[in-house]
Amino acid sequence: MMKVIGKSHQKLDGKERVSGKAVYGHDIELPNMLHGSILRTKYPCAEIISIDTSKALSLDGVECIITANDVDVNNIGYKKDHPILKKGTVNCNRDEIAAVAARTKEIADKAIQLIEVEYKIKEGVYDPFEALKETTPRINEFGKGAEQFGNKNMAESFHYEHGNLEEQKAKSKVIIKKRYELPRVTHACIATSNITAEFNNFDGRLTLWSSTQVPFLYQRDIAHALKMEPSKIRVIQPIIGGGFGSKLDMHPFEPICALLAIKSGKPVQILYSREEEFIASPTRQPMVIELTTGCDENGKFTFREVEIIKDNGAYTSWGATTPFVMMQSYSSLYQVPACKFDSHAVYTNNPFAGSFRGYGNPQATFSIESNIDLMAEELGMSQAEIRLINANYKGEITGQGLHFKTCGAIPALKTVIEKSNYDKIMATPNTGRYRRGVGLGSMLHVGGGAKIYRSDGCGTTLKIDDYGYLTIVTGSNEIGQGSETVLAMIAMEELGIPKEKIKVINTDTDVKPWDVGVHASRTSFVAGNSLLGAIKLIKEKLSKKAIELLDVVTDDWEYANGMMRFNEFEIKLDKVVREMHFASPHELCMVNYFYEPPSKFQDKDFKGDVSGNYAFASQAIEVEVDTVTGNVRVLNVHVSQDVGRVLNPVGLQGQMEGGLATGIGYALTEEMIYEKGVLKNPSFHGYKMLTSTDMPDVHFYPIETYDEAGPYGSKGAGEAPLIPTAAAIANAVSNALGVRFYSLPITAEKVLRALASPTPPKEGLLREAKPVTKHQ
Amino acid sequence: MILTFKINGEWVTQEIKPSLLLIDLIRDVLQLKGTKPGCLEGECGACSVIVNGDAINSCMYLAINVDGKEVTTIEGLENNENPLHQVQEKMLEHGAVQCGFCSPGMVMTTKAYSDKCIAEGITPTREEVKKSLEGNLCRCTGYAKIIDAAEAVYK
Ligand code: FES
Ligand code: FES
């Protein structure tokens, strides 16, 4: 019987957060600290003729100014195609030209206005299809597209296939080919981007208070950018006001802040304004997906063939690697005998996309789930039935080599179909002003980390002190998702130490052991397993000492209420530790453990069991569409997710609801509107996120499959809730209106336009279909 | 100019520039960092504080306008017997706090609203509770738990 796991526990440092005592990057003030500000380009595509900083420098209170000419640095980014400060050319409206450090933020902002830049404006390229044309000039001078992919503006390319496509096409009774367009949306963390940097010129050490999600990769990246030794850089994470993937890449403002601190000899802080946050922080990948899928006369899927053009923007971030995740959904969400996947990220003069919760999967899932409904329609089969007969099952090894040792796909689907009254709603005639519809969407995502870096591991150090307090030093990070609470719960469960006596230390790279970082829904899984490994070691230590002290022979101790117990023998934990410490041979009660998940690297064809386990989920979403205003209202969301095992119910529910809110925004309201590379809605007023009144009722049904790879059988859960949401909503709107939408968001205007068209078009609703250009 | 006002129960007199915003007075001059800057454009509610019983966005409010008035920030909810206000307790119980950057604003908005409801002897409906929080954005929680917590204040 579990005492702690599976029961709701409040957030470990929730009191600090809810009382305003938690220290975020915005709250840090160091002695003599300066404030930094960045000059960004006026035009998204131009040549820089000259930069004159003299007026700005003479402004009282300005301490230093840097431009590309003042610094000796390396390019940054996943493809090292991104200069921190630009010279020669600017390629997108985020581009950093100069940075100022001044005594106050106002002075720094004023100084920025005084920097004179002369530009030669160029016609930019804002459409990736245009960028692929022979006649289009090269956009990123560091891009290796010509050598690597046969097209100068290709930033990254992925190809995957399994099965015999032609054979499966021949078997198909129905083939559906559709083109989907996905918008640019952004994380919109409520805390804007921030960093504080301090340089010690005695020993050449740099301290960064940074909101990164991946401190150890970040340390290495900053070191490379600044040509420093990584170990001279100490990364301290203050409390982070939202991540969602936005802090996976290191962004130019971070090394810029470090450079200002190095040059001025004083600490420097950069805080983004909300407008700057919209303009200059990452986005989800916009893309055009052309998906062809088939099924036989019984509705069994035969093949999927997909061609994706992603708008990479001007530089390449981790976001370019989202096809790793997308191809898993195309190859392995449902049983698919044959699959061919091609994805090309193309440079444009748009801002570059980064990584965002779901990592390409919401886009892929939207296309897959829409095509499934279309195939069912064509066959005259129920949308529920076609999913059930193709769903994944336990024991399956997919064409890509993903091994589903446990699988809750069918139970999840069945649950949401039943709970949402799917059949009844679908059978209800739908006329009048308000039309109701329900739609289904399922998803597959990694649940046990993802081996994409050389190690997907996490280290843990444990210490029990003379008073029976436990310190967990974990490599993993907390970005609000609640992982540190889960770690404390595991320790409470295993060691019987109460919550008040547990400390989690996880914010300082000088102290904590290595970990990849927060991504791929991995933290509870990887850090949890690492902690369990460490606990096993510390129990061995405690057991050895207790045996000696009590003169019994056992390794079957019960740990509860700060005691170790075996039959009639018992001893206080702190007493054991003190004896260990103060009596010969004088030892500390400390251990180190490193956990590396059993997942494998994929081979060069992207085949292999890449994650420790896999999460499955289905959603049935009920909407009501107002045919007069075009508004879509989400009424009910039924979510069923294979989480392996519920660790902290209240934390899990929070992840569900938060993910869904972002997913609903993606489906219905959120879109960054660009005109020729310039963002037209950089504010919360123009960029419509959900508010409290838009949130529907959420009905969550966890499926527990007890996967042996995860801590207590659990699987990663954080990203999944938003992955199938847009897909299910689009299907619901289509079922309500009989009109299908192939692009997001499904705004009121789009609905009205679709309803106004005399014969609602079945495809290519919002844009002329363009052929997907193939590269050589 | 000279400003005299009550903050978290204490009268203070402060020399300020007329253009100073209330949020800057609170965070920079008085060093009360619990009030959060989410947008400084009046759109997110992270900077909510209570002035004479009403929750307002301190980023849209000139400091001079609090002259002679009573301001409560998140720090003002703490007292010796109760380190947390009931609204905060409910938020924690219901799991309404994730990254927490919106939380002080959510707390202040809920407190102002519930104080009024309780004074008037009204128990608001769930829809009314939702409405009261409409000006406060949260990117982490999807609001459901925050609404649950705010409703629980009346139980
Ligand atoms: S900071 Fe005041 S409303 Fe956003
Ligand atoms: S908890 Fe993160 S913004 Fe609300």
Side-chain angles (χ1 to χ4, degrees):
Chain A
M1 246 307 267
M2 293 282 162
K3 295 193 202 93
V4 180
I5 297 296
K7 308 209 164 60
S8 283
H9 281 260
Q10 287 186 15
K11 196 168 187 64
L12 202 56
D13 65 348
K15 289 187 177 132
E16 284 72 20
R17 290 177 198 240
V18 82
S19 62
K21 291 207 169 75
V23 177
Y24 297 81
H26 297 65
D27 308 325
I28 295 172
E29 277 182 20
L30 300 176
N32 288 322
M33 186 175 85
L34 304 177
H35 298 266
S37 192
I38 293 171
L39 175 69
R40 296 180 195 277
T41 179
K42 206 166 161 188
Y43 308 100
C45 185
E47 260 167 58
I48 303 174
I49 310 290
S50 65
I51 307 173
D52 182 357
T53 58
S54 55
K55 275 191 199 143
L57 258 178
S58 62
L59 187 70
D60 196 30
V62 170
E63 299 248 348
C64 79
I65 300 184
I66 53 171
T67 66
N69 295 324
D70 309 312
V71 295
D72 173 26
V73 290
N74 284 318
N75 280 356
I76 65 170
Y78 166 69
K79 289 269 178 179
K80 301 284 177 278
D81 61 359
H82 190 177
I84 297 167
L85 285 156
K86 281 66 179 174
K87 67 173 165 193
T89 58
V90 284
N91 274 330
C92 76
N93 84 327
R94 277 181 199 161
D95 275 4
E96 298 80 1
I97 294 178
V100 175
R103 279 209 301 275
T104 67
K105 178 77 177 143
E106 292 67 43
I107 298 172
D109 288 344
K110 202 159 167 199
I112 286 298
Q113 308 289 331
L114 294 174
I115 297 174
E116 287 167 3
V117 185
E118 200 187 323
Y119 300 92
K120 186 168 158 233
I121 304 170
K122 294 199 295 187
E123 191 59 39
V125 183
Y126 305 104
D127 177 355
F129 294 93
E130 192 64 33
L132 285 173
K133 286 184 185 156
E134 200 68 11
T135 49
T136 305
R138 179 171 175 178
I139 293 164
N140 184 313
E141 61 176 307
F142 304 101
K144 300 237 169 19
E147 304 91 295
Q148 290 180 351
F149 314 114
N151 184 311
K152 60 190 175 303
N153 285 330
M154 194 84 85
E156 181 61 293
S157 197
F158 288 88
H159 172 82
Y160 166 82
E161 62 180 71
H162 77 248
N164 186 331
L165 204 69
E166 292 316 312
E167 209 176 278
Q168 292 298 327
K169 278 187 180 172
K171 274 195 196 161
S172 303
K173 168 94 188 294
V174 169
I175 292 182
I176 299 283
K177 180 174 184 177
K178 290 292 166 201
R179 182 189 166 91
Y180 298 91
E181 291 187 32
L182 287 309
R184 224 185 223 92
V185 293
T186 190
H187 310 73
C189 303
I190 301 298
T192 54
S193 301
N194 60 82
I195 185 167
T196 307
E198 182 176 43
F199 184 67
N200 178 333
N201 43 13
F202 302 118
D203 56 15
R205 292 194 184 178
L206 179 66
T207 303
L208 300 172
W209 286 264
S210 158
S211 302
T212 177
Q213 298 178 216
V214 289
F216 288 98
L217 302 187
Y218 182 90
Q219 179 190 44
R220 187 202 56 180
D221 289 350
I222 287 253
H224 178 262
L226 301 178
K227 304 188 176 176
M228 285 177 72
E229 280 180 69
S231 300
K232 289 208 162 172
I233 299 171
R234 177 179 183 189
V235 181
I236 299 175
Q237 295 159 290
I239 305 283
I240 297 174
F244 319 114
S246 62
K247 295 157 174 77
L248 194 66
D249 280 282
M250 178 190 74
H251 302 285
F253 78 96
E254 297 169 286
I256 284 176
C257 191
L259 289 164
L260 290 171
I262 293 168
K263 189 160 178 196
S264 67
K266 293 181 183 166
V268 179
Q269 181 171 79
I270 293 181
L271 296 181
Y272 275 13
S273 68
R274 180 52 59 184
E275 183 183 20
E276 196 171 20
E277 185 74 13
F278 273 106
I279 291 173
S281 59
T283 70
R284 197 184 285 288
Q285 275 72 32
M287 57 181 77
V288 175
I289 299 174
E290 196 165 82
L291 176 64
T292 313
T293 60
C295 62
D296 68 17
E297 70 276 8
N298 300 318
K300 283 293 281 178
F301 296 163
T302 46
F303 75 96
R304 282 185 190 141
E305 189 174 15
V306 56
E307 178 104 30
I308 298 171
I309 298 293
K310 307 201 314 167
D311 183 347
N312 191 60
Y315 308 103
T316 313
S317 73
W318 273 111
T321 67
T322 48
F324 272 123
V325 173
M326 300 179 73
M327 68 174 73
Q328 286 165 24
S329 290
Y330 288 109
S331 75
S332 306
L333 170 59
Y334 305 97
Q335 302 158 48
V336 185
C339 175
K340 182 166 169 283
F341 171 97
D342 284 284
S343 162
H344 312 298
V346 182
Y347 286 117
T348 64
N349 292 110
N350 290 318
F352 51 99
S355 77
F356 194 162
R357 194 175 187 180
Y359 216 73
N361 211 348
Q363 296 97 311
T365 302
F366 172 59
S367 67
I368 291 171
E369 292 289 333
S370 298
N371 261 33
I372 291 176
D373 272 11
L374 289 165
M375 290 192 290
E377 216 170 277
E378 194 78 20
L379 270 182
M381 194 170 181
S382 115
Q383 295 166 352
E385 184 60 22
I386 195 169
R387 285 178 169 82
L388 283 168
I389 63 169
N390 288 288
N392 298 113
Y393 54 87
K394 180 177 166 181
E396 188 174 357
I397 298 175
T398 76
Q400 199 179 351
L402 314 182
H403 186 178
F404 301 152
K405 291 167 211 101
T406 55
C407 175
I410 292 173
L413 252 171
K414 284 190 168 155
T415 304
V416 298
I417 291 166
E418 185 204 314
K419 300 282 183 184
S420 65
N421 278 322
Y422 181 85
D423 293 330
K424 194 166 156 235
I425 297 173
M426 290 297 278
T428 309
N430 208 0
T431 50
R433 173 169 171 177
Y434 298 99
R435 313 262 174 91
R436 285 210 177 183
V438 59
L440 295 172
S442 297
M443 75 101 225
L444 156 72
H445 203 69
V446 292
K451 194 153 272 183
I452 50 170
Y453 190 69
R454 284 175 62 197
S455 161
D456 193 27
C458 173
T460 304
T461 296
L462 289 184
K463 176 179 90 171
I464 304 179
D465 70 13
D466 296 342
Y467 315 101
Y469 279 63
L470 171 75
T471 305
I472 303 169
V473 188
T474 172
S476 67
N477 318 282
E478 171 74 31
I479 58 170
Q481 84 279 40
S483 67
E484 67 188 22
T485 311
V486 167
L487 294 183
M489 286 171 64
I490 292 175
M492 286 156 73
E493 182 71 53
E494 296 297 324
L495 290 167
I497 299 177
K499 201 182 202 171
E500 308 74 60
K501 292 192 172 180
I502 297 176
K503 308 170 196 180
V504 180
I505 306 289
N506 54 1
T507 57
D508 187 342
T509 53
D510 268 8
V511 175
K512 67 180 187 171
W514 195 85
D515 171 74
V516 184
V518 184
H519 73 106
S521 306
R522 69 188 280 282
T523 304
S524 292
F525 178 90
V526 181
N529 274 336
S530 177
L531 174 59
L532 282 169
I535 287 173
K536 187 159 175 264
L537 296 180
I538 212 160
K539 277 183 171 175
E540 281 166 17
K541 244 175 163 359
L542 290 164
S543 171
K544 202 167 135 223
K545 194 73 197 178
I547 286 169
E548 187 188 309
L549 292 171
L550 295 175
D551 203 15
V552 285
V553 182
T554 179
D555 52 9
D556 191 19
W557 298 98
E558 186 202 340
Y559 294 81
N561 306 323
M563 309 283 287
M564 294 175 68
R565 230 177 256 125
F566 170 66
N567 294 341
E568 73 278 19
F569 299 95
E570 63 173 30
I571 186 165
K572 285 168 87 179
L573 212 59
D574 52 325
K575 169 126 176 89
V576 180
V577 176
R578 282 196 300 273
E579 289 301 325
M580 207 182 280
H581 184 176
F582 297 121
S584 177
H586 303 286
E587 273 187 284
L588 293 172
C589 191
M590 282 184 80
V591 295
N592 292 313
Y593 185 75
F594 187 73
Y595 170 74
E596 184 68 38
S599 49
K600 297 185 194 75
F601 271 120
Q602 290 177 325
D603 61 18
K604 62 176 191 345
D605 299 322
F606 301 111
K607 290 196 178 138
D609 196 19
V610 73
S611 182
N613 63 33
Y614 299 87
F616 303 84
S618 289
Q619 297 183 3
I621 300 187
E622 189 187 353
V623 301
E624 182 181 81
V625 188
D626 181 340
T627 52
V628 173
T629 63
N631 275 331
V632 179
R633 214 157 71 91
V634 178
L635 302 176
N636 277 298
V637 180
H638 298 268
V639 193
S640 187
Q641 184 170 323
D642 172 6
V643 297
R645 166 96 180 243
V646 178
L647 299 177
N648 185 11
V650 71
L652 182 63
Q653 179 90 22
Q655 287 293 306
M656 292 298 135
E657 290 159 352
L660 280 163
T662 308
I664 296 170
Y666 189 50
L668 297 177
T669 58
E670 293 183 31
E671 182 170 23
M672 305 179 86
I673 299 163
Y674 283 90
E675 269 170 35
K676 295 209 162 212
V678 178
L679 182 62
K680 292 293 167 189
N681 56 339
S683 73
F684 283 137
H685 184 67
Y687 184 87
K688 294 288 181 208
M689 278 162 47
L690 254 60
T691 70
S692 53
T693 48
D694 305 316
M695 194 61 190
D697 289 334
V698 175
H699 314 274
F700 172 46
Y701 320 96
I703 305 275
E704 297 193 303
T705 49
Y706 302 101
D707 192 283
E708 64 175 26
Y712 307 100
S714 65
K715 302 180 173 187
E719 291 173 282
L722 71 70
I723 291 170
T725 309
I729 290 176
N731 287 343
V733 174
S734 168
N735 286 338
L737 297 178
V739 182
R740 190 160 278 278
F741 293 84
Y742 296 90
S743 72
L744 299 177
I746 305 173
T747 57
E749 299 85 78
K750 276 189 199 171
V751 170
L752 289 182
R753 227 184 310 158
L755 289 172
S757 111
T759 44
K762 283 265 175 203
E763 65 173 298
L765 187 64
L766 296 153
R767 224 215 227 194
E768 286 294 298
K770 283 182 223 157
V772 175
T773 317
K774 273 222 147 156
H775 72 284
Q776 313 305 309
Chain B
M1 61 171 297
I2 302 286
L3 181 69
T4 303
F5 70 112
K6 201 172 178 184
I7 181 143
N8 300 334
E10 257 177 65
W11 284 98
V12 291
T13 299
Q14 183 76 45
E15 163 117 49
I16 60 156
K17 277 202 243 158
S19 61
L20 185 74
L21 289 168
L22 181 56
I23 191 170
D24 295 333
L25 172 66
I26 291 170
R27 282 182 55 88
D28 299 343
V29 181
L30 302 173
Q31 290 284 305
L32 296 169
K33 302 283 190 189
T35 300
K36 295 297 175 218
C39 69
L40 305 181
E41 296 171 341
E43 296 282 350
C44 77
C47 65
S48 301
V49 298
I50 299 176
V51 177
N52 281 2
D54 291 320
I56 55 111
N57 290 333
S58 63
C59 71
M60 298 301 281
Y61 205 89
L62 284 175
I64 46 170
N65 289 335
V66 300
D67 198 37
K69 293 182 186 162
E70 196 169 319
V71 180
T72 309
T73 68
I74 188 83
E75 289 86 354
L77 300 189
E78 181 180 342
N79 60 45
N80 287 342
E81 295 95 76
N82 300 312
L84 292 176
H85 186 270
Q86 191 204 3
V87 171
Q88 292 164 308
E89 298 275 10
K90 294 292 172 210
M91 297 238 325
L92 290 175
E93 269 168 39
H94 287 265
V97 182
Q98 286 190 29
C99 86
F101 204 77
C102 71
S103 304
M106 293 287 179
V107 170
M108 298 316 281
T109 303
T110 301
K111 179 183 185 299
Y113 184 67
S114 62
D115 282 354
K116 274 191 196 157
C117 290
I118 290 165
E120 291 169 24
I122 307 168
T123 304
T125 62
R126 190 168 173 88
E127 287 313 308
E128 286 165 337
V129 169
K130 282 188 181 180
K131 195 83 195 150
S132 74
L133 287 164
E134 204 178 16
N136 291 66
L137 294 178
C138 173
R139 193 53 151 172
C140 301
T141 65
Y143 305 102
K145 296 274 168 284
I146 298 173
I147 299 163
D148 290 348
E151 264 196 307
V153 172
Y154 304 93
K155 290 193 179 127

